[in-house]
Amino acid sequence: MQHFSDRCDQVHLRIMRILQAALGLTDCRLLSLCDSRNGELRIAHYPPIDIQRLQTGNTFRIAEHTDTGTLTLLFQDSVGGLEVERQDRHGEFLPVIASRQSEIIVNVGDTLQRWTGERLRSANHRVVAPQAMQASIGGIIPARLSIGFFGKANPEALMRTLEEFVDPDQNITEKDDFTTATEYYAGLQTKTFPEVTVNT
């Protein structure tokens, strides 16, 4: 797993280098913000579930969300259910189907969206019933496995919009933000998992 994580980190940096060139940024402009190799590797197991639980619309395998980091590299099995929201049509989700397990799905995360002044936008996604089963009256959706590598900014990197993408006519609150990545990620963690007080 360590070897796999290292390879994912190399792919993450290679894609960031490609994006850096495509955006017309000077050498190492993006790479210098995320080259500390502090990405996270997570294996997600989704237990089997009765499809009727998902058809109510109140239960998801994972509710819609965006990822907080720079880029996410996602590997999934053939069970299906991953959907990504169209960026030109709010609320419309498209299935992301893997034809083979060696495919890598690449999502832009919130950090890269902030750095590029929303030139690159974070991908809103969710996991629901696989498309082929959505009209089924009953049945069990089999277990699903996915592996995600979540690229992260360097701990001291600022979360502000890079000066190359600041539009003076656009009101982007992140452009003057002096929050570090460590502070930003910790703040999101606190919002997601609020402190619990136990009375004894």
Side-chain angles (χ1 to χ4, degrees), residues 117 119 161-172 175:
R119 180 80 55 89
T161 301
L162 301 178
E163 59 188 28
E164 292 88 342
F165 301 106
V166 173
D167 181 351
D169 298 326
Q170 192 177 16
N171 183 24
I172 298 177
K175 68 183 177 184

Side-chain angles (χ1 to χ4, degrees), residues 121-134:
R121 290 176 52 201
S122 190
N124 191 32
H125 54 285
R126 65 188 184 186
V127 179
V128 295
Q131 189 178 37
M133 297 183 69
Q134 286 182 3

Side-chain angles (χ1 to χ4, degrees):
M1 291 306 295
Q2 184 62 56
H3 175 70
F4 180 72
S5 179
D6 291 343
R7 292 297 305 273
C8 286
D9 186 66
Q10 293 168 13
V11 172
H12 166 248
L13 292 177
R14 182 177 299 176
I15 295 172
M16 292 295 286
R17 187 176 291 112
I18 292 167
L19 290 174
Q20 179 177 266
L23 292 166
L25 298 173
T26 56
D27 192 36
C28 292
R29 186 71 172 102
L30 280 179
L31 289 178
S32 66
L33 299 172
C34 60
D35 59 0
S36 62
R37 305 176 66 97
N38 63 338
E40 299 174 7
L41 186 67
R42 296 184 206 154
I43 302 173
H45 172 251
Y46 302 77
I49 187 171
D50 190 317
I51 192 169
Q52 291 182 335
R53 289 188 58 196
L54 298 183
Q55 288 172 331
T56 64
N58 297 321
T59 302
F60 297 88
R61 279 188 149 178
I62 284 191
E64 62 181 82
H65 66 284
T66 58
D67 296 332
T68 60
T70 51
L71 292 174
T72 298
L73 309 180
L74 182 69
F75 303 82
Q76 63 173 345
D77 62 19
S78 59
V79 172
L82 176 64
E83 294 184 340
V84 64
E85 185 178 29
R86 288 184 55 154
Q87 297 199 338
D88 60 342
R89 292 188 190 170
H90 179 70
E92 184 177 334
F93 285 80
L94 302 172
V96 180
I97 301 168
S99 60
R100 56 185 184 274
Q101 292 182 10
S102 59
E103 288 180 344
I104 304 175
I105 298 159
V106 181
N107 284 340
V108 169
D110 298 341
T111 298
L112 193 52
Q113 175 176 294
R114 289 170 68 108
W115 285 345
T116 63
E118 300 185 6
R119 180 80 55 89
L120 299 176
R121 290 176 52 201
S122 190
N124 191 32
H125 54 285
R126 65 188 184 186
V127 179
V128 295
Q131 189 178 37
M133 297 183 69
Q134 286 182 3
S136 298
I137 296 174
I140 301 294
I141 300 174
R144 177 181 185 269
L145 285 172
S146 69
I147 301 173
F149 177 86
F150 301 88
K152 295 289 183 76
N154 295 344
E156 298 307 314
L158 297 180
M159 297 301 297
R160 64 189 301 181
T161 301
L162 301 178
E163 59 188 28
E164 292 88 342
F165 301 106
V166 173
D167 181 351
D169 298 326
Q170 192 177 16
N171 183 24
I172 298 177
T173 57
E174 293 88 0
K175 68 183 177 184
D176 298 319
D177 193 345
F178 289 93
T179 303
T180 66
T182 297
E183 294 165 338
Y184 177 68
Y185 297 146
L188 292 175
Q189 185 87 1
T190 301
K191 287 180 184 177
T192 305
F193 303 103
E195 184 177 338
V196 177
T197 303
V198 179
N199 295 322
T200 56

